[in-house]
Amino acid sequence: MKRPRRILTSALLTGLMLFAPIAQAQNATVKPIVTVAINRLDEIKKDIIYIASVISGQPEQTIAATVELQTGFFTQGLDQTKPIGIIGTASGITPGFYAFVPTKNIQQLLAPLAGFGLQLQDAGDGLLVLQTGGLDVYFNQTDTYCFISNARESVAKPPEDPAKLLDGLTDTYDLAAKLNIQAIPVAQRALAMSQIRTAMEFSLQRLPDETDAAFEARRKAAQDSFQQLQDVVDQLDSLTFGLAVDGEKKKAFFDVSMAAVDGSKLAQQFSAYELASTKLSGFLAENAAAQLSSAYVISPSEVGQMISALESAKSQIDAAINSDPNIPADARELIRSVVGNLMEVANGTIEDGEVDMAGSVTTDGGEMKVMAAAKVANAQKLNDSFKEIIAAAQEQGEQLPDIKMDAARHGSATFHTISIPIPPFEDQAQRIFGESVDMTVGFGESHIYFGLGNGNIAALKSAITSSDKDGVDVDPLSGYLSVGSFIGFFADKLDNPDVKLLAEAIGRGNDKILMTMTSEKNGTKYHIEFQEGVLRAIGTVIQLQQANAAVDAPF
């Protein structure tokens, strides 16, 4: 699951660092560097009214009147049935902007600028110009749109339907931005990367008392990270952000999409996500309060990068173990052994080229239960390390909870149980978990398992048995959190009026926060969604905080 997240992080950094020096943009005849799309205002108003009504609990008619009162002055003269667009391009290294606003009277919209000494002037050929000192902005008013740019030639012959320039973004989103990385001039990209390299090299000064091995490991890790970022800059084609509210489907969502240059190594990595399949489907419980799965193929081109990153991490850990005077001599070998086993398993898992993990949290019958599993190479290495740690702690006379080694078996899996007592004075914890918290860790030939809650071993065994051994097609990353299920569970367990009020406001159903990563052509899309019950929860929390603040400070 870490690899997709690392690519997303690098892509976001790339977009931010490369967009900064060219945030102005230019004409629409060159491939855009950035396209900003704002959906038609009547649709945006409708979405604002819906979400404000859900969060505040007020009728939509009341919210609509407030929205109209607050926005009426600023939207006078705008055609609210058409989108607004801002497009940025660059010719050579010259930045500029090109925008279109649906209005028949741009002078009415810009009238407030007269108070700052700025007025539109005739520029000839039916154009207007706004002179702001260092920048002349040109306007071309047509029957349906006003076209705006810092380049006169860009607005001289406007398109009949400028909405087509928005690349379909307003079909899905209220607000969206698309950054075309490869449209950024090569010189700008090289300058940005040069600045990052300079900052990296400055940060790589040797630290006081840092050993040669630790310094070399840190240097190599930094260089690997820089190279990964350079690969993203060279191979990422586009990065798109989109935000939308859908009153009809009662949800709000945010997307981040990435597309790689066709035929690039990054495109090959993204294409590997199309093969997502899990053999741990039994761990995705129906009607779970929470669920998470990650399953995808690691492309050959990234295996080497990941192995190299692990080697750098191991070098840094080894250096820290050897140089830390606070680690007792007898514990040093144990730590080395455990770290060695962890790294061996991680390396083997990466070389196998497959990620598969799944887990669920259930609250059925008033009991919280967790079950999770992950595919790893040579899980028995981890079993050995677990036993080493417990044996060492027992030899040292450490006070441990009730631990039963080899408490149960199922197929090739061996389970160890841990029962942690909850003291009587922890009243709320006892209400949630009972007098003890029961945990299980398990190790099979190629899987590790974790369980929590009463009867979790039986749940783990059932999940292993019911998992489809031929694999079930899934998204590379998917999960959800049912806010209503969790709040309802705690409301039943705890004597807290605020929690009970929150549970009543949310209800059950349409109450999830969902997250998915899906595969697209040469790319991938991350989707985060908030259903209506979550929006109600946010509103109720705000209202409770305001009410409590009023009680605490009545004057």
Side-chain angles (χ1 to χ4, degrees), residues 203-519:
S203 69
L204 283 177
Q205 302 297 320
R206 187 186 292 272
L207 301 175
D209 301 324
E210 187 174 28
T211 65
D212 290 344
F215 174 69
E216 177 59 26
R218 189 163 60 87
R219 185 190 66 81
K220 188 175 186 306
Q223 289 180 335
D224 289 345
S225 296
F226 178 83
Q227 186 57 53
Q228 289 176 10
L229 184 59
Q230 182 69 66
D231 290 343
V232 170
V233 171
D234 294 340
Q235 301 175 36
L236 187 66
D237 187 47
S238 65
L239 182 63
T240 304
F241 306 88
L243 174 67
V245 175
D246 191 332
E248 292 183 1
K249 295 184 178 179
K250 302 183 183 304
K251 65 181 182 180
F253 61 91
F254 178 72
D255 291 342
V256 178
S257 301
M258 295 177 287
V261 174
D262 191 26
S264 65
K265 287 185 178 180
L266 187 58
Q268 295 173 12
Q269 292 174 20
F270 285 144
S271 67
Y273 299 148
E274 298 176 4
L275 307 175
S277 175
T278 181
K279 295 180 181 179
L280 297 171
S281 56
F283 288 84
L284 302 176
E286 291 187 22
N287 302 316
Q291 209 179 80
L292 180 67
S293 71
S294 182
Y296 57 92
V297 173
I298 304 174
S299 69
S301 62
E302 60 183 329
V303 167
Q305 294 178 356
M306 297 174 73
I307 294 294
S308 177
L310 276 177
E311 289 175 350
S312 295
K314 186 176 185 303
S315 296
Q316 293 184 65
I317 293 171
D318 286 343
I321 293 171
N322 293 331
S323 61
D324 191 340
N326 296 316
I327 300 178
D330 55 349
R332 209 178 295 272
E333 281 306 313
L334 172 62
I335 295 173
R336 286 199 190 99
S337 173
V338 171
V339 170
N341 281 349
L342 287 172
M343 289 299 176
E344 184 178 336
V345 169
N347 272 280
T349 302
I350 293 169
E351 289 173 348
D352 285 348
E354 183 180 349
V355 172
D356 191 5
M357 58 183 73
S360 301
V361 181
T362 60
T363 55
D364 299 337
E367 290 189 338
M368 183 178 291
K369 195 174 298 178
V370 178
M371 57 180 184
K375 180 181 183 297
V376 298
N378 197 356
Q380 287 304 313
K381 281 281 185 181
L382 300 181
N383 191 20
D384 294 341
S385 291
F386 181 80
K387 290 180 177 181
E388 280 186 87
I389 293 170
I390 299 301
Q394 290 173 337
E395 288 177 7
Q396 293 293 326
E398 298 285 347
Q399 288 189 341
L400 300 176
D402 182 17
I403 299 175
K404 293 182 179 178
M405 305 299 291
D406 303 324
R409 294 186 62 85
H410 185 75
S412 65
T414 300
F415 298 104
H416 316 299
T417 61
I418 306 169
S419 182
I420 304 175
I422 298 177
F425 57 81
E426 295 288 353
D427 178 60
Q428 291 191 341
Q430 281 205 352
R431 290 186 181 189
I432 295 171
F433 296 107
E435 295 182 354
S436 64
V437 177
D438 295 332
M439 292 191 297
T440 300
V441 290
F443 305 90
E445 292 180 2
S446 58
H447 290 87
I448 55 175
Y449 305 97
F450 175 78
L452 184 145
N454 292 331
N456 69 78
I457 288 185
L460 289 171
K461 291 180 178 180
S462 177
I464 293 170
T465 301
S466 61
S467 292
D468 191 323
K469 301 304 183 290
D470 293 326
V472 175
D473 291 342
V474 292
D475 289 326
L477 175 66
S478 65
Y480 68 78
L481 173 70
S482 172
V483 177
S485 294
F486 276 102
I487 298 299
F489 172 80
F490 288 116
D492 292 339
K493 295 289 185 180
L494 305 176
D495 186 18
N496 187 312
D498 286 350
V499 176
K500 293 184 184 299
L501 181 63
L502 187 58
E504 292 173 3
I506 300 171
R508 298 290 178 97
N510 201 35
D511 62 349
K512 294 183 176 68
I513 301 173
L514 301 103
M515 175 183 65
T516 58
M517 184 186 84
T518 53
S519 180

Side-chain angles (χ1 to χ4, degrees), residues 3 9 25 48 74 98 115-116 125 130 141 198 237 344-345 355 358 360 365 387 405 427 525 555:
R3 180 62 184 176
T9 302
I48 291 173
F74 300 100
Y98 178 85
F116 299 94
D125 299 326
L130 185 68
Q141 179 67 69
T198 299
D237 187 47
E344 184 178 336
V345 169
V355 172
S360 301
K387 290 180 177 181
M405 305 299 291
D427 178 60
K525 179 171 74 175
F555 304 108

Side-chain angles (χ1 to χ4, degrees), residues 123-144:
D125 299 326
L127 305 182
L128 299 171
V129 64
L130 185 68
Q131 296 177 329
T132 62
L135 178 69
D136 290 345
V137 181
Y138 294 90
F139 299 79
N140 187 351
Q141 179 67 69
T142 69
D143 291 339
T144 54

Side-chain angles (χ1 to χ4, degrees), residues 67-142:
V67 169
E68 198 58 44
L69 180 65
Q70 297 289 336
T71 63
F73 175 78
F74 300 100
T75 58
Q76 284 183 357
L78 284 176
D79 183 346
Q80 299 186 33
T81 65
K82 294 182 174 65
I84 298 172
I86 305 171
I87 296 173
T89 64
S91 179
I93 60 172
T94 304
F97 70 87
Y98 178 85
F100 49 89
V101 179
T103 180
K104 296 181 179 181
N105 192 344
I106 190 63
Q107 298 199 49
Q108 178 187 0
L109 284 176
L110 298 182
L113 293 180
F116 299 94
L118 300 174
Q119 290 185 319
L120 290 172
Q121 301 175 16
D122 188 351
D125 299 326
L127 305 182
L128 299 171
V129 64
L130 185 68
Q131 296 177 329
T132 62
L135 178 69
D136 290 345
V137 181
Y138 294 90
F139 299 79
N140 187 351
Q141 179 67 69
T142 69

